[in-house]
Amino acid sequence: MKRILFIAGLLLTSFAVQAQKDIYLGVRGGLNIPKLTASGDNPMSKGYSSQLSGNSGIFAEFRLNELFSLQPMVEYTRQGGSRDGMQAIPAALMPGDAQQVPAMVGEKYLYADFKSETSFDYIMVPVLAKFGWNLKNTPVRVFVSGGPFVSFLLKAKQKASGNSHLYVDPAGDMTMDYLLGSLTGAAAQGEISMKADRTITDEVQRVNYGVSANIGASYAIAPRHNLLLEVGANYGFRKLQKSSENGQNRIGALTVTVGYAYKLK
């Protein structure tokens, strides 16, 4: 699917280069409000909230007529999410006897109350179909755009902070210390540090694909110079994690960007 989208984008761009009426080159940047959407019942996927991040890139616009353009872009974007509260932790990441506790109660995970952030840095390559209208007797042009993208992962990281007891249930009704003490007489550990800074690039898919859409306006400050303001969104179709034991999430974001475009001809 991603290859089809990418090839279709290249073909459309090639056609636009040959058939264009006007060509614009530009830069843009702004804010992302990303969201990790959970898929399935895996507790590792749930509980994410948005965190502000950024995007920046370059683009070309090939205007075929007064109404329609094609706009390929290359942009850097950071996406991800954060959690604050009770979260699932794979037993394999826990030290010593803690790795055995989930199996004792028929679970795959332990739980703890802490803060965590997950971030994904991508190079995203969208190819957008763009429809625009000049407002009569003004230097303003409004537009809508949409189309497919392919994105390439640069790096993925997880950071965590805080201290917590380890629990054997998501409600926090039973601590790991209580269970181990009851069964084996082991001494209680109390709260432990949840501080971590992990690179998880090898645990997630390196390539994603999806759709982007925008609505915005441009303002001609001079015959060849234009300022842009856009509000948009993007959504990835591919599940991020290679293994479902690490969760099943899809990426997406709301975007607010400003930019500048120069008309070549």
Side-chain angles (χ1 to χ4, degrees), residues 17-32:
V17 170
Q18 298 179 47
Q20 85 284 344
K21 179 177 182 291
D22 297 309
I23 299 176
Y24 296 79
L25 295 180
V27 296
R28 49 176 266 162
L31 293 176
N32 289 340

Side-chain angles (χ1 to χ4, degrees), residues 6-228:
F6 190 60
I7 291 171
L10 290 177
L11 290 175
L12 287 172
T13 302
S14 177
F15 169 76
V17 170
Q18 298 179 47
Q20 85 284 344
K21 179 177 182 291
D22 297 309
I23 299 176
Y24 296 79
L25 295 180
V27 296
R28 49 176 266 162
L31 293 176
N32 289 340
I33 308 174
K35 178 67 175 178
L36 287 174
T37 304
S39 176
D41 295 326
N42 190 318
M44 293 287 290
S45 305
K46 299 178 179 179
Y48 283 100
S49 59
S50 298
Q51 58 182 14
L52 287 179
S53 57
N55 66 76
S56 60
I58 58 175
F59 65 90
E61 180 181 345
F62 303 97
R63 192 169 296 177
L64 306 184
N65 53 49
E66 290 300 319
L67 176 65
F68 180 68
S69 305
L70 281 178
Q71 182 174 300
M73 296 193 291
V74 177
E75 58 183 340
Y76 162 82
T77 179
R78 170 167 286 183
Q79 304 202 16
S82 61
R83 295 190 285 192
D84 187 357
M86 196 69 76
Q87 303 170 45
I89 309 168
L93 295 181
M94 292 293 98
D97 292 338
Q99 294 187 15
Q100 311 304 318
V101 172
M104 294 179 184
V105 293
E107 297 286 344
K108 293 183 179 180
Y109 307 97
L110 291 171
Y111 298 86
D113 186 354
F114 63 104
K115 295 181 180 180
S116 66
E117 295 182 357
T118 304
S119 62
F120 304 90
D121 291 358
Y122 285 101
I123 294 295
M124 184 179 290
V125 185
V127 178
L128 307 179
K130 188 173 183 180
F131 297 87
W133 301 267
N134 296 318
L135 299 186
K136 189 175 181 180
N137 298 323
T138 75
V140 177
R141 180 178 175 87
V142 297
F143 57 84
V144 295
S145 64
F149 71 79
V150 176
S151 59
F152 304 93
L153 182 67
L154 300 177
K155 65 179 178 180
K157 299 198 72 173
Q158 282 184 337
K159 293 183 178 181
S161 62
N163 300 299
S164 176
H165 289 284
L166 294 178
Y167 299 91
V168 298
D169 63 305
D173 293 329
M174 182 183 294
T175 66
M176 181 195 72
D177 285 343
Y178 178 82
L179 180 62
L180 286 178
S182 299
L183 296 176
T184 68
Q189 290 184 332
E191 290 190 345
I192 65 172
S193 173
M194 304 306 298
K195 185 176 181 181
D197 190 347
R198 300 176 57 229
T199 297
I200 58 170
T201 306
D202 292 336
E203 299 175 19
V204 296
Q205 304 291 348
R206 296 296 185 102
V207 179
N208 206 335
Y209 53 91
V211 293
S212 297
N214 302 281
I215 183 170
S218 64
Y219 184 88
I221 57 176
R224 291 180 178 268
H225 304 272
N226 297 270
L227 299 179
L228 311 171

